[in-house]
Amino acid sequence: MLPFWLLIAAMLAAVAIANVITPTKLEVQDPPKLDSVVPKKFGNWEELPSPLIQIDLATTRDGESSINQPYDDTLMRTYRNPNGDVIMLALAYGQRQRQEVKVHRPELCYVAQGFAVRDEGSVTFPVLDPRGLPISGRRLVGTSLERKEAISYWIRIGTLYSGGALQSRIHILRQGLQGHVPDGILVRVSQILHINDDIDARFRLQEQFLGELARAMPETGRALLIR
């Protein structure tokens, strides 16, 4: 059994190490509200007051964050263009991304709400980050008893466009060891698919929509979507 003084020294050392590696510096101090920076009309798209129910982004009471609700701000809107195309937009922003509290991947949200999800592979969106690099994300098809959806999304954590949960965890750990707390956002669009729809055409339209949306946003808002 260790002497009492060694136990005390070990405890103090553990506290000191924890204080050193605990991230304290927020990458974003005062993010704007999504509703104020996401335009309701841009290009050929205009917000459509819609009865369509989107696949939910888990929520708790106002102001709370938890493993089930890692978001400080969310936005869910439906848009329509003159051709009658309808796209559902969902944004979910969290100022503090940590190992236990981070942006949820749509694959998990859809499955949790009764959908079977098929991964249609990675995609490069027609949007460049400030370094001039294209943004990468994924395409999914979700199917339930009630409907079928084409889904496109990207997840940004700090300056990383995450390709998977492990990559997100490693990035958050590295930032934490440097004392930084990265922010993060889920950018998701979806469309209800009908029997004769061309799924590839739906995906291309969604990617075009997100490119136009990012370019139409003010700089402070665009910085939430891309960095």
Side-chain angles (χ1 to χ4, degrees):
M1 185 174 180
L2 288 175
F4 179 75
W5 68 270
L6 282 179
L7 289 174
I8 295 297
M11 292 173 62
L12 291 174
V15 170
I17 292 172
N19 286 334
V20 169
I21 67 174
T22 298
T24 57
K25 183 179 179 182
L26 294 175
E27 288 188 350
V28 176
Q29 297 295 330
D30 189 20
K33 284 295 185 181
L34 291 170
D35 187 64
S36 68
V37 293
V38 177
K40 295 183 177 181
K41 183 176 182 180
F42 60 94
N44 291 325
W45 297 95
E46 187 170 3
E47 183 184 14
L48 172 68
S50 172
L52 293 176
I53 298 175
Q54 292 201 47
I55 298 306
D56 196 16
L57 301 163
T59 57
T60 58
R61 288 174 292 181
D62 289 346
E64 290 186 343
S65 291
S66 71
I67 293 174
N68 294 321
Q69 165 55 312
Y71 308 125
D72 298 299
D73 194 11
T74 61
L75 178 72
M76 303 180 84
R77 285 187 191 160
T78 301
Y79 290 82
R80 182 174 61 187
N81 68 12
N83 296 327
D85 298 306
V86 174
I87 288 182
M88 295 175 286
L89 170 70
L91 304 176
Y93 177 79
Q95 193 177 13
R96 299 168 177 81
Q97 298 298 296
R98 303 186 298 277
Q99 295 293 340
E100 71 280 11
V101 182
K102 57 184 180 300
V103 171
H104 290 153
R105 310 192 78 80
E107 294 92 326
L108 301 178
C109 296
Y110 272 77
V111 169
Q113 294 175 63
F115 280 73
V117 175
R118 185 175 76 242
D119 189 340
E120 293 290 318
S122 61
V123 60
T124 298
F125 293 91
V127 186
L128 299 179
D129 71 13
R131 297 163 293 183
L133 301 175
I135 292 171
S136 60
R138 300 205 73 79
R139 292 172 168 180
L140 309 172
V141 172
T143 306
S144 72
L145 293 176
E146 290 79 23
R147 70 195 199 191
K148 186 175 183 179
E149 291 188 18
I151 307 146
S152 300
Y153 78 89
W154 76 69
I155 289 177
R156 178 189 63 74
I157 297 179
T159 57
L160 170 74
Y161 294 91
S162 173
L166 179 60
Q167 188 182 26
S168 298
R169 287 184 177 279
I170 292 173
H171 183 72
I172 292 171
L173 175 61
R174 286 174 174 169
Q175 291 298 300
L177 290 173
Q178 297 175 30
H180 296 282
V181 182
D183 68 337
I185 191 167
L186 165 66
V187 179
R188 185 189 84 194
V189 290
S190 58
Q191 290 176 281
I192 294 177
L193 292 170
H194 303 288
I195 293 176
N196 295 321
D197 277 351
D198 181 335
I199 295 180
D200 286 336
R202 297 296 94 191
F203 283 134
R204 290 193 296 272
L205 183 65
Q206 292 174 8
E207 293 150 21
Q208 177 188 348
F209 172 92
L210 285 175
E212 291 181 11
L213 172 64
R215 288 187 289 271
M217 291 178 66
E219 184 175 349
T220 54
R222 189 164 56 251
L224 295 183
L225 270 60
I226 57 178
R227 181 166 306 134

